[in-house]
Amino acid sequence: MSVQERKERERAERERLIVATAREIAEQQGWDAVTTRRLAERIEYSQPVLYSHFRGKREIIGAVAVEGAAEIAVAVRAATAGATGPRERVSALARAYLDFAARNPAVYDALFQLDGGLAFAQEDTPESLKDAFAALLESLGEVAGEGVDTGLFTELFWASLHGLATLTRAGRLPPQDIEPRVELLVDRLAVI
């Protein structure tokens, strides 16, 4: 291995450590607790080292969001892979999405609530964000209904899931009723 390759590998490892540590702190204490000073102390690197990887917290949030988008795509695809029909696939998708949001609130916030400096639904949207949307579209496209734009339908269904996730987490909706909400959403929006 060349010196250059070793340096690149070490840089990538440091970057992964910064992102993982930021995510850990955010999941435990919230995003307000994520500061470059705290990150530097936790990973035992100086603040200038952090700034050599990320210009600031916004870019760190963006890196967590990119990572989280890849994870939600995997979760949705894994959940829908074993479903036997369209209704089961859509229900599995909804449950996987809501479960991801509940288990990873800081990552979910990085994806959908905080400014990570990422472009959504544009040419320069990071590939993992595009793939997360594609994971939804794969199951929802078949239940959109005749003559309905599958992309718009997926956006509407996603917005509904996002509302459920956000309102439940905020205590505005009782968490014990999540299952009837998912069933109603699937029954009313999906053409099966």
Side-chain angles (χ1 to χ4, degrees):
M1 174 182 306
S2 73
V3 172
Q4 181 63 29
E5 289 171 329
R6 182 181 53 77
K7 286 183 179 185
E8 287 174 11
R9 187 185 76 226
E10 289 171 355
R11 180 173 177 73
E13 287 172 8
R14 264 193 319 272
E15 195 165 297
R16 280 191 295 276
L17 179 61
I18 293 166
V19 171
T21 304
R23 183 175 172 167
E24 180 183 319
I25 292 169
E27 290 293 1
Q28 292 171 354
Q29 302 169 35
W31 278 104
D32 287 343
V34 178
T35 64
T36 54
R37 177 173 290 171
R38 182 172 279 159
L39 282 171
E41 288 171 3
R42 182 79 71 91
I43 66 173
E44 299 178 342
Y45 283 102
S46 67
Q47 285 181 305
V49 170
L50 272 104
Y51 285 117
S52 74
H53 290 274
F54 301 100
R55 285 183 284 203
K57 184 175 175 177
R58 180 179 187 218
E59 284 189 4
I60 294 170
I61 290 169
V64 170
V66 166
E67 188 176 272
E71 291 171 13
I72 202 167
V74 167
V76 165
R77 286 187 176 112
T80 58
T84 57
R87 186 182 199 300
E88 291 78 17
R89 242 183 316 285
V90 174
S91 292
L93 176 151
R95 285 184 195 91
Y97 184 96
L98 294 170
D99 183 56
F100 181 89
R103 284 185 298 106
N104 304 283
V107 174
Y108 193 81
D109 285 349
L111 269 163
F112 301 118
Q113 306 285 16
L114 302 173
D115 179 9
L118 303 174
F120 283 80
Q122 297 175 23
E123 277 297 311
D124 58 342
T125 298
E127 286 305 313
S128 68
L129 298 179
K130 290 177 183 178
D131 189 51
F133 187 77
L136 299 175
L137 185 65
E138 290 162 12
S139 291
L140 295 171
E142 67 182 324
V143 298
E146 191 174 322
V148 175
D149 181 287
T150 57
L152 291 176
F153 179 80
T154 300
E155 290 171 353
L156 178 63
F157 201 92
W158 171 29
S160 299
L161 291 175
H162 176 69
L164 287 174
T166 303
L167 292 170
T168 301
R169 187 166 134 210
R172 304 294 195 268
L173 296 175
Q176 68 272 14
D177 292 333
I178 199 70
E179 197 59 35
R181 286 189 198 99
V182 166
E183 293 305 313
L184 186 59
L185 178 64
V186 172
D187 287 342
R188 294 295 187 247
L189 286 183
V191 178
I192 301 170

